[in-house]
Every structure is written in C-alpha cells, then in structure tokens.
Amino acid sequence: MVPSILPPLLLIGPLAVAVFLLTLPWFRESLPETLATDQDSVALLERIHLGSIGYVFLLSTAALVQVLSNGAITAFGDWLFVDALGAVFMMLIGVVGLLTGLYSIAYIRHDLEAGLIDAGKVRVYYGFFSLFLFTMLLAVTANNIIMMWAAIEATTLGSAFLVGLYGQKSSLEAAWKYVVICTVGVAFGLYGTVLVFSNAADVLADPHQAVLWTALIGHAAELDPMLVKLAFVFALIGFGTKAGIFPMHAWLPDAHSEAPSPVSGLLSGVLLKCALLIVIRFYVITVGTVGVGFPQMLLLTLGVLSVGVSSLLFFVQQDLKRKLAYSSIENVGLIVVALGVGGPLGIAAALLHAINHSVTKALFFCTAGNVLMTYGTRDLRAVKGVLRAAPATGLLMMACALALAGFPPFNIFVSEFMVFMAGLNEGYGWIMALVALFLCITIAGLVKIVADSVLGKSPETMAKGDVGWRALAPLGVLAVLVLVLGFAVPQPLSNLVQQATAVVMNGDSRPVVAAPWQQYDTVRAGGLLVTGSLSQTEISK
C-alpha cells in the first residue's frame, strides 16, 4: 500500500467538468441560446465531454497499473483507498464510461435533431454524465464507510436528472420513483454503517480510525457479533436496493427503460456493480466477525429469488429496454448467488461475472438505442427484421442476445461456467439446478428476440439503412471485448480478479480465472483443486 496522487486526480477531472457545465453562471446563461442554431457550440460541448471521459479512462488505467504493481494505493490520510477489489470496479467505470460516452455523442445528436430534447438539455446531459462518473468513482475509491454511503446516495442525485432527461410523464415518473425508492432504501445502508462505526469506535484504540474500512477489517474479530449481523442486514437492504436485488428492485425497470440508452448502459453496467462493491465491503467485515454462514445464507436466498423472479418477468416483457432491465436484475442475482456460494472460486466467479455483464449489458443497451433510432419504438412487437433493415445493428443485437444467453464463445459463458463450477464444488448442487432452470427461461426469451426481432421480416414501408459510424464504432469496440473475453481471460485481468478475490477472502487464495478451454488436466486431490494451465500449474483451495 503506497501513497498516490492518482485517486484525487481521478475524482477532480469529471467533477470539474460537471461544475463547469452546470453551475457557472456565464456558461449556463449564454451558451444554451446558441445551441439550437450554432453547431460550433454543440461541438464545444462534445469536446468538453470527450475530454472528461478520456481523462477518466486514462487516469483509471494509470491507477489500475499502480494497484497491480503495489497491491493498493491511498491518498488523503487513507480516506481514499484503491485495492484490487476497488480497482475492478474503477476499471469498469473507466472503460464503460468511455464507450457509452462516445456513443452518447451520436445518440444525443439524433435526439436533438428529432426534437426529443431541446438545446439546453444537451448541456444538462453532458454535465450530469460527468457528475455521474464522479459519484461512482467516489464510491469505489472511498475507504471511509460514511463516505461510501454518501457517494452511493450521491449517485442517485447525479443520475436522476439523466433518467428524467426527456421530461415526458413516463420518464419523470421513473426518475421520481428512482429517487424515492433509492433514497429510502439507501437510508437502511446508513443505519448499518452507523452501527458498525459506533461499535468500532468503542473497540479501536483510536476512535477516528473507526470510519476506515481498512481499520475495520483488521479488527473485525473484536466487533460485537450481534451488532455486525444487524448491520449487514441493513447494508444488504440499503445498498442492495441500489444494486437492484429482489425485492428492493422496483425502481430499476422504470429507470433503465426511460433513461437515454447510453445512460441505461451506465446504470446497468456500472452503477449496480458499484452498489454491489459496498455490499462486498460489508460482507468482508461480517465474515471477519461472525464467519461465512450468516452472510452467505442471506446472499444465497436473495440471489436465487432475484434470478427466479426476474427471469419470469423478463420473459413476458415486450418493451426491449424494460426486458433488458429485468435481465440486469437476474445477472445481479447470479453475482449474489456466486458470493453466497463463497470460496475462492465463487468470489472470483462473482467478480468476473460482474465484469462480463457490465460490458455485455452496456453493448446491449446501446444497441437498443440504435434500434430505437431506426424504428422509433422499443416495442418488440413492432421491431422486426432488424438484420435486414439495419444489418450492422442486427448483427450486434444477435451477438448481444446470444452473449447474454450464455452461449459460447461469448464472455458470459465463461463466468457463468465458473459460477456453476463453484456451486457444485461447494455442495450447492440443488441450488445451482434451480438457478439453471430459471436461466433456461431467460434463454428462451433471448432466443425469441433473435428469431422474431432480428431475423423476422422487416416492415415493407420501412427505409433500409443503418445508423451512422459514430453510433456503431463504440459498439464495435464493446463487441470485440465481449468476444475476446469469451475466448480467453487476459493475464492482467486474471491477475486482477485473483488479487481482488484474495482481498475478499482476506488471504492469499488464488483461484484459476480462465476460460474452460484455457484449462486442462483438472483433478481433485486431497481437498485441493489442481488446475494446470498452458503456462503454469496453479493450486487453489
């Protein structure tokens, strides 16, 4: 663990852009009047936006390199702290933020030209996009547990204006529902946070250290077991609300379906995972105090319920983005199941699935944006023959559906395979069979999308033609990531997930993180899973 200037620098960039676009009086008052007629002003906003997302990507990459080299980096007296676990989610913000941000340029231009938004909302969109990135980055870099809660609460305020951007009744209702449910839900997270802090302040020699997560895990065994159990329940309810875990998920389908498509990609791909990170942070404290039995029982219960309920609701939806929203709940449930299964392989599977789902779902939501721009509707009963009407979008839509269904050689298959292997290794065969049954329902719904919407007959009156290259290029990069991560888990990513797993396990457990075809000669011996890879032999407990 070494001091670094990168965490505060990473936060300053998007915050400065957000302040510049949203609060400076001269900019707020003079620029919007020219946006509708002056293309130079639109280009200026786009350049500022590009600078913001590029800055976040470059600084998060630099911070990731430092974490891989040093184990963890800190700043501001350990109030900011990035270990391998936090670096996983910081990387997601950098990559998904960059690509959805690039896609936003074409998407917002289309909405402006179509009259769906006015000139002033272009500035609002780019300003709150940067603010949203800042709040998520603060959540994953915070070591202060009070700051973690405040950052998760701030993500609601940062993204609610994006959800309600269009100002329609449905979008405003979704934004209001999002704010009310998440604010009330995250309040439970505050109760859990205060319980842990108050107990630790009595235990630690220096009460000021009681707010630091790194200090709490070092003294977890000294905390009161009953208070920690109660705190974990509150944390799971509170931050689980933001993560979209059943039954605290009610805000998610409305918000994801009504937000602009790139924002939906950020909500599903990154925000839900940031909330899960805080749940994992409290999980580590709880395990250190009371052992794995209590938290894993809660996680398995809510995870299976999330997968089951969302798969049934997913199948009956006709709104494409709402369908994808229920798919997000299902995949969050699968991550929670993997955490509940536990063990090095289960934790690694949860983290890898979080990464794979983030990339895939960002791609699918943005592809849904292309469908919306082409057809003018999200209703799957009217969206037919995408492959004929818009070939590039149709291919992307088919790839997304197959990837999300867990078919090889796409990335979701690799992490889902690891989840099921972890469950079987830990003796949860009946739970994994139940989860597999629910996943079959989702697969049927995704295959139906391919058969009806992608391969069906397009409307005869519809003009043939795809969206422009600006809306396709970022999605091409995401599609390459989805495919590459399905063929092989790159060594740097494998190392990162292994180190993050060791953080959660509070030890040196290094599970093999690889695609099934990267492994061979796997045997069970003396309670150890011995897995040889093409380059080395690794042993994971």
Side-chain angles (χ1 to χ4, degrees), residues 1 16 98 129 142 154 157 167 198 205 224 227 257 278 284 287 358 380 386 437 446 456 459 472 487 501 511:
M1 186 166 65
L98 174 68
F129 195 99
L157 303 177
S198 60
D224 183 273
L227 284 178
S257 59
I278 311 305
V284 175
V287 169
S358 292
L380 290 172
V386 179
L437 178 63
L446 290 165
L472 291 173
F487 276 105
T501 301

Side-chain angles (χ1 to χ4, degrees), residues 10 32 42 91-92 97 111 136 205 268 390 418 426 443 467 483 501:
L10 179 61
V42 176
M91 174 190 67
L92 292 179
D111 284 355
M136 290 190 293
S268 179
M418 287 181 62
E426 297 294 331
I443 291 172
V467 295
L483 197 57
T501 301

Side-chain angles (χ1 to χ4, degrees), residues 444-468:
L446 290 165
V447 170
K448 192 173 187 299
I449 291 177
V450 174
D452 293 348
S453 296
V454 179
L455 300 178
K457 183 178 179 181
S458 60
E460 295 182 359
T461 58
M462 182 175 177
K464 304 298 188 292
D466 224 314
V467 295

Side-chain angles (χ1 to χ4, degrees), residues 384-407:
K384 303 292 183 182
V386 179
L387 192 60
R388 292 180 173 85
T393 297
L395 285 174
L396 288 170
M397 190 174 181
M398 182 187 299
C400 289
L402 295 177
L404 205 56
F407 290 133

Side-chain angles (χ1 to χ4, degrees), residues 425 522-531 539-541:
N425 284 343
T522 301
V523 298
R524 295 290 295 182
L528 300 181
L529 177 62
V530 183
T531 304
I539 300 179
S540 64
K541 294 181 180 179

Side-chain angles (χ1 to χ4, degrees), residues 300 304 307-308 311 330 334 337 341 416 419-425 427-441 443:
L300 281 172
V304 172
V307 173
S311 65
E330 179 193 50
L334 193 58
V337 167
V341 165
E416 284 188 352
V419 171
F420 281 95
M421 286 302 299
L424 294 176
N425 284 343
Y428 293 106
W430 68 273
I431 289 181
M432 303 320 296
L434 184 60
V435 170
L437 178 63
F438 290 136
L439 290 181
C440 287
I441 299 173
I443 291 172

Side-chain angles (χ1 to χ4, degrees), residues 505-524:
M505 298 295 297
N506 199 21
D508 297 324
S509 301
R510 289 176 63 82
V512 174
V513 181
W517 33 83
Q518 288 179 279
Q519 304 176 8
Y520 72 95
D521 192 25
T522 301
V523 298
R524 295 290 295 182

